[in-house]
Amino acid sequence: MSDAEWAVVRPLLPVPGWLRGRGGQPEAHCHRAMLDAIRYLVDNGTKWRAMPADFPPWDRVYAFFRRWRNHDLVREFHDRLRRLVRERAGRDSEPGAGVIDSQSVKADAVVGSDSRGFDGGKLINGRKRHVVVDTLACCSR
């Protein structure tokens, strides 16, 4: 993450409890390093355990991500960033319309039959995923 990107992202991050006087210990790794590791993982499609040694240990990065996900901080961070992008583009902070698209994805045999189906149009046995984007192509909820 470049310094310019970090300058935009840093104020959007939640403040850790220990900095707000709520107790706990300071984290061993900075949020920038953790976000860089998560961005690397998403961009390259690697596994958690295959995280390069340049980043914090994979189990710490995963624990960081899991904690944010479980407390819905990933969605909150995403929504804050989307609002910022829209405001900088001179738009309302919340989108008024969206475009919906879907994709059929083949499911492995280990995926339970209760969570997959058959797409007759594409002849794919698997799952269907959907995405909603606004006119700026910012993912919506």
Side-chain angles (χ1 to χ4, degrees):
M1 182 178 307
S2 70
D3 290 339
E5 290 172 326
W6 180 242
V8 171
V9 168
R10 188 171 187 204
L12 301 174
L13 298 174
V15 178
W18 64 272
L19 278 176
R20 290 180 288 167
R22 294 183 51 205
Q25 294 182 356
E27 296 169 357
H29 304 282
C30 74
H31 285 174
R32 184 175 181 174
M34 295 296 207
L35 288 174
D36 278 341
I38 292 169
R39 288 178 64 196
Y40 177 86
L41 180 109
V42 170
D43 184 46
N44 294 293
T46 62
K47 297 178 181 177
W48 288 105
R49 291 177 186 260
M51 188 85 57
D54 299 349
F55 297 112
W58 75 268
D59 56 337
R60 299 309 327 142
V61 177
Y62 179 67
F64 175 85
F65 172 76
R66 192 179 63 230
R67 185 174 65 239
W68 275 35
R69 183 195 61 206
N70 292 345
H71 290 99
D72 222 15
L73 294 176
V74 173
R75 180 184 306 256
E76 180 183 333
F77 177 64
H78 174 268
D79 290 348
R80 287 181 183 184
L81 196 54
R82 186 189 68 236
R83 279 192 293 273
L84 181 67
V85 167
R86 289 187 58 81
E87 288 169 358
R88 286 191 175 179
R91 308 293 287 268
D92 279 341
S93 61
E94 291 296 324
V99 178
I100 302 173
D101 195 9
S102 65
Q103 178 182 29
S104 297
V105 182
K106 289 182 182 178
D108 198 305
V110 297
V111 176
S113 61
D114 60 332
S115 69
R116 63 180 167 165
F118 185 74
D119 182 349
K122 295 182 181 176
L123 302 177
I124 292 178
N125 183 9
R127 293 182 172 163
K128 198 163 204 174
R129 60 184 172 198
H130 300 81
V131 66
V132 179
V133 296
D134 67 8
T135 55
L136 291 175
C138 299
C139 271
S140 298
R141 289 181 247 179

